[in-house]
């Protein structure tokens, strides 16, 4: 019996539609997941806006999804029907040397998402915003019983944040400045706080500063009115920050970070920017101040597992970051809202 299911697809610039397809039959190593929620990430809405021409259309978009296992192939043992799961959208092969050595999945030469290929249905993408998704078992991560579906959808963004925080080696008690209090800035702040850091956040939007405060952060800098170095000094009794996470991909944020960096500061470039930001650095300053400039992107399978554990055990809480929800039929509206400027995450409910 052929099951027809519906999928949210970016079909053109500023155009997302619900399309119908036959559900393929899951293979022995695969898991059939009934998706419940898909968050619209910056990657998704910037593609929808036409800002990421390297991401092809039509795109069965999404990677921040969660759902319930509906059926498993005969070779699948780690999850069963009824489990709440999230999927690692980086799709590492898990058998190459890089994967086996625990590296970031960007090193994997066999990941199918490295170069976009149209599938048998003429689409690109992972189908994370479909009513169902068939995923190889090795990419499916189980959350603890009792974890919320909303929470599970944050596994992917949290995993990338864990990867970055490890790259800048945040230690308990260190002072960390997060530039930008959008969704990813606040997830960085939340994970840095869980790692024991004393977190300061700078931002220029009232709405985002209010969200930071609502999540329990009280060392906030409004860069429209405050001098960043004066305020940092007030918060730290004159100590420089140990690390700065740049969580917004705009030129002004890079300038701000470099202004605030002092001796031995570790700078994490977390965000990609479209159009690409520019950054005038003074190499002499990097040299004499021994500044470390560290990039990060994506995660390793171990980071994804850690994210599923932290979220599943409610050690971090990101519930406030879902600002609105739309049913699949209103996927176009969900994109309009997600791309409207000051938005946190919008969710498509499946
Ligand atoms: Zn994402
Ligand atoms: Zn690999």
């Amino acid at each position: 019996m052929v099951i027809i299911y519906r999928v949210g697809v970016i079909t053109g610039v500023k155009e997302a539609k619900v399309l119908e397809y036959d559900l393929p039959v899951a293979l022995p190593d695969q898991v059939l997941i009934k998706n419940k929620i898909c968050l619209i990430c910056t990657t998704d809405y910037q593609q929808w806006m036409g800002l990421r021409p390297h991401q092809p259309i039509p795109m069965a978009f999404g990677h921040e999804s969660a759902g319930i296992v509906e059926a498993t192939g005969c070779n699948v043992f780690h999850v069963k029907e009824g489990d709440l799961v999230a999927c690692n959208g980086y799709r590492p092969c898990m058998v190459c040397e890089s994967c086996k050595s625990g590296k970031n999945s960007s090193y994997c030469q066999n990941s199918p998402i490295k170069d976009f290929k149209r599938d048998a249905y003429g689409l690109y993408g992972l189908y994370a915003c479909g009513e169902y998704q068939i995923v190889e078992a090795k990419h499916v991560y189980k959350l603890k019983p009792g974890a919320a579906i909303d929470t599970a959808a944050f596994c992917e963004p949290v995993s990338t944040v864990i990867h970055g925080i490890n790259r800048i080696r945040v230690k308990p008690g260190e002072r960390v400045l997060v530039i930008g209090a959008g969704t990813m800035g606040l997830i960085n702040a939340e994970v840095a706080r869980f790692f024991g850091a004393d977190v300061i956040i700078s931002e220029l939007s009232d709405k985002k500063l209010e969200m930071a405060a609502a999540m329990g952060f009280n060392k906030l800098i409004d860069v429209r009115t405050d001098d960043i170095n004066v305020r940092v000094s007030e918060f730290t009794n004159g100590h420089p920050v140990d690390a700065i996470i740049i969580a917004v991909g705009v030129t002004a944020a890079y300038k701000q970070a470099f202004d605030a960096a002092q001796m031995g500061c570790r700078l994490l470039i977390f965000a990609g920017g479209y159009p690409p930001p520019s950054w005038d650095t003074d190499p002499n300053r990097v040299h004499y101040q021994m500044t470390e400039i560290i990039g990060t992107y994506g995660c390793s399978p171990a980071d994804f597992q850690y994210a599923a554990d932290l979220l599943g055990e409610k050690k971090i809480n990101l519930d406030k970051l879902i600002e609105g929800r739309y049913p699949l039929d209103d996927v176009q509206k969900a994109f309009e809202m997600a791309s409207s400027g000051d938005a946190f995450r919008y969710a498509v409910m499946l």
Side-chain angles (χ1 to χ4, degrees):
M1 186 188 80
V2 177
I3 299 172
I4 306 289
Y5 77 124
R6 301 184 309 145
V7 185
V9 180
I10 298 173
T11 48
V13 172
K14 301 210 170 157
E15 182 186 84
K17 289 183 178 167
V18 180
L19 303 179
E20 292 190 345
Y21 296 93
D22 301 348
L23 186 66
V25 176
L27 299 171
D29 295 311
Q30 291 181 326
V31 180
L32 173 63
I33 300 165
K34 193 169 196 337
N35 282 333
K36 293 292 181 186
I37 184 170
C38 181
L39 305 180
I40 296 182
C41 176
T42 312
T43 313
D44 304 315
Y45 75 70
Q46 287 187 338
Q47 178 182 12
W48 178 87
M49 291 169 79
L51 297 175
R52 296 190 178 216
H54 61 284
Q55 294 175 204
I57 286 171
M59 176 70 80
F61 71 93
H63 54 273
E64 298 180 4
S65 64
I68 305 293
V69 173
E70 180 106 335
T72 55
C74 60
N75 294 339
V76 178
F77 305 104
H78 77 300
V79 292
K80 61 178 190 314
E81 193 184 330
D83 285 345
L84 171 62
V85 294
C87 302
N88 183 351
Y90 296 95
R91 301 290 198 261
C93 77
M94 304 296 271
V95 294
C96 72
E97 284 175 24
S98 300
C99 286
K100 281 180 172 163
S101 64
K103 282 187 173 165
N104 183 308
S105 299
S106 304
Y107 287 89
C108 175
Q109 293 305 310
N110 305 318
S111 165
I113 66 159
K114 284 239 153 152
D115 32 47
F116 295 100
K117 287 200 185 76
R118 263 180 206 260
D119 64 18
Y121 298 89
L123 299 184
Y124 303 93
L126 302 174
Y127 293 72
C129 195
E131 290 172 322
Y132 291 94
Q133 199 179 5
I134 293 174
V135 182
E136 285 178 84
K138 61 190 174 187
H139 305 308
V140 178
Y141 291 70
K142 180 179 166 177
L143 282 95
K144 296 280 182 293
I149 285 164
D150 290 2
T151 302
F154 282 104
C155 281
E156 187 272 340
V158 169
S159 68
T160 65
V161 167
I162 289 168
H163 195 77
I165 296 250
N166 281 324
R167 280 179 67 72
I168 47 162
R169 312 183 303 278
V170 170
K171 292 190 283 293
E174 284 199 324
R175 300 165 191 92
V176 175
L177 169 65
V178 178
I179 296 181
T183 303
M184 295 315 299
L186 289 173
I187 297 178
N188 268 285
E190 181 78 1
V191 174
R193 178 164 65 180
F194 175 76
F195 274 51
D198 186 5
V199 176
I200 302 166
I201 299 174
S202 72
E203 175 52 57
L204 45 64
S205 137
D206 287 328
K207 179 179 168 185
K208 289 178 179 172
L209 285 164
E210 280 161 23
M211 179 66 88
M215 288 175 66
F217 295 99
N218 53 19
K219 293 176 180 169
L220 305 177
I221 300 174
D222 182 340
V223 291
R224 292 168 300 187
T225 52
D226 298 348
D227 180 297
I228 195 161
N229 285 322
V230 170
R231 290 288 280 160
V232 164
S233 190
E234 283 169 15
F235 288 138
T236 64
N237 293 319
H239 289 280
V241 289
D242 300 287
I244 300 175
I245 298 171
I246 306 158
V248 49
V250 298
T251 299
Y254 289 94
K255 184 179 179 319
Q256 217 182 89
F258 215 69
D259 288 347
Q262 297 185 39
M263 278 306 286
C265 190
R266 309 183 305 265
L267 301 178
L268 185 70
I269 303 184
F270 183 86
Y274 294 86
S278 61
W279 192 8
D280 280 331
T281 54
D282 173 356
N284 275 342
R285 243 186 98 182
V286 175
H287 168 66
Y288 287 113
Q289 294 195 345
M290 294 181 283
T291 312
E292 292 185 56
I293 300 171
I294 300 169
T296 194
Y297 168 75
C299 66
S300 71
D303 297 321
F304 205 95
Q305 181 63 54
Y306 193 18
D309 291 343
L310 288 187
L311 287 161
E313 293 167 19
K314 304 184 176 73
K315 288 181 174 156
I316 54 175
N317 189 339
L318 304 170
D319 295 353
K320 290 189 173 67
L321 294 176
I322 299 181
E323 184 173 320
R325 294 158 195 277
Y326 287 94
L328 181 56
D329 282 331
D330 294 334
V331 63
Q332 172 72 8
K333 181 75 185 162
F335 270 103
E336 286 167 10
M337 296 304 292
S339 61
S340 63
D342 241 3
F344 291 97
R345 281 290 189 269
Y346 273 82
V348 177
M349 305 307 290
L350 299 151

